[in-house]
Amino acid sequence: RGLGRITAACEAGVTRLTRVAHRAPCRLLPMADGAAAAAGAGAAHCAIGGYGGGLLGGDVVELEVAVEAGAALLLTTQASTKVYRTKRDGIAATQSLNATVDDGGLLVLAPDPVVPYESAAYEQRQRFMLSPAASLVAVDWVGAGRVSRGERWAFSHFASRNEVLRRPEAGAAPAKAVAVDAMRLSGGAGLLGLDLGRVEYDTVVSVLCSGEEAAPVAERLRMLSSALAHRRVGQRPGVLRAALAEEVSEPAAAAARALLGNVVVGVGVAQGSAAPKGGGGSGGGAGAGALDVVIARLAAEHTEDVFRLLHFAMAPLAPRLGASPYGLRIHADVAALCPIKAGAAAAAAAAAPP
C-alpha cells in the first residue's frame, strides 16, 4: 500500500512545501528544475512518481494533498502511469487522491496519461474539497495502451471518478458534490475502441476547472471547442460554418492548425449552489458566489495533440505557477507522426479501395 502526503503553505507570498512524505510504491518528488521561477511566482511544483516503472494488480496508492490559503501548487507526473496486466486473482490497481484547497489557494493537477496495458485493471477516485474562493484545474487522462505495438483499448477494466465538493461551514451539513465526472470502460481485446467516423481515437481526457484563477483556462477550452468544430466543418458552406467562424479566435485557430489528427472537445458547466454570505465568488466564469465547475472532455487521435491543446489551454496559469503546464512536453512547432504510426497509416491508405 503506497501513501503520499503533501502540504503547500504560503509564507510571505511564497508557496513552500511544508510536508512531503511518501511510502512505496508512491513517490513524491519536489521539482528542482524551475524552482527559482516557481518561487518567484509564489508557487511550488511536485511530481508524483513511483518505483518499478508502473502499477501492478493489487497495488493501492493513497494521496492526500492540502493547499493552504494563498498557496499555489502544481502537481505533475514523471511520465505516463503504466498499469501492468493483473495477476490471476484479477484484482485491480487502485489509486485515490483527496485534496483540500483553502481560500485564495490554487491546485493544478497536470499529469501525463494513465496507460493500462493489455489485460490490466485500474480504478481511480479523486475528490477535491474547495473553499468558496479556491481555484482548481485538474486533468484526468487515459490512453489506449501500447499503440505502437498494436495494443489498443485491450485492458480488461478502467474506472475513474472525479468529485468536486464545497467545503462546509462550521456546524453546517456535510459537504455535497457540486460536480461528478466519471468514466468506466470494461471489455478488453480491443472491444473498447473509441473509433468514431472511421477515426481511431487513442486517448480521452477530462479537464475540471473551478474558481477565479481557473476561469481563463475554462475560456480557452471553450475557444478550442469552437475552433475544432470549425476545423471539422472545413470548407463546406452553410449557416453552421458561418456561425462557428464568428466564435473562433485566432489563437485557438492557430492551435488547431498545429494538430496532427482529429480531436473533438465538448465543454459543459455544472452549476453549484451559492456561496455563504461573506464567501468569495468562484466558478470558471460563472456567476459570482457560486461554486461552478467547467468540465471539458477531449477525445484525440494522437497523444501529442493532447499535450499541445492542454499546453495552450493552461498557458494563462504560467504567471501564477512560474511555468506553463506541459511546456516541457512540446518539442516542435507542428506535430508529426512517429515512424511506426506513419508506416501503419501508409499501409492502411494503400489497402483502401480507390
Side-chain angles (χ1 to χ4, degrees), residues 136-222:
L136 168 73
V137 177
V139 175
D140 184 14
W141 187 354
V142 60
R146 293 173 291 184
V147 176
S148 61
R149 298 183 55 175
E151 183 182 290
R152 297 186 64 250
W153 306 107
F155 48 83
S156 63
H157 174 73
F158 173 88
S160 179
R161 181 181 176 91
N162 298 285
E163 301 178 1
V164 180
L165 304 95
R166 175 189 292 281
R167 173 178 286 174
E169 296 291 322
K176 293 184 178 180
V178 176
V180 176
D181 178 72
M183 178 168 55
R184 180 179 294 271
L185 301 172
S186 299
L191 299 177
L192 305 174
L194 301 177
D195 302 340
L196 307 173
R198 299 182 180 180
V199 177
E200 295 182 345
Y201 290 95
D202 285 343
T203 188
V204 178
V205 189
S206 291
V207 185
L208 289 77
C209 303
S210 183
E212 181 179 355
E213 293 189 90
V217 178
E219 182 58 30
R220 285 204 166 200
L221 289 168
R222 294 189 184 98

Side-chain angles (χ1 to χ4, degrees), residues 253-278:
R257 287 194 295 269
L259 300 180
L260 176 62
N262 288 278
V263 182
V264 292
V265 180
V267 182
V269 181
Q271 295 184 341
S273 59
K277 290 183 179 180

Side-chain angles (χ1 to χ4, degrees), residues 41-42 315-323:
L317 298 174
R320 182 74 162 98
L321 298 176

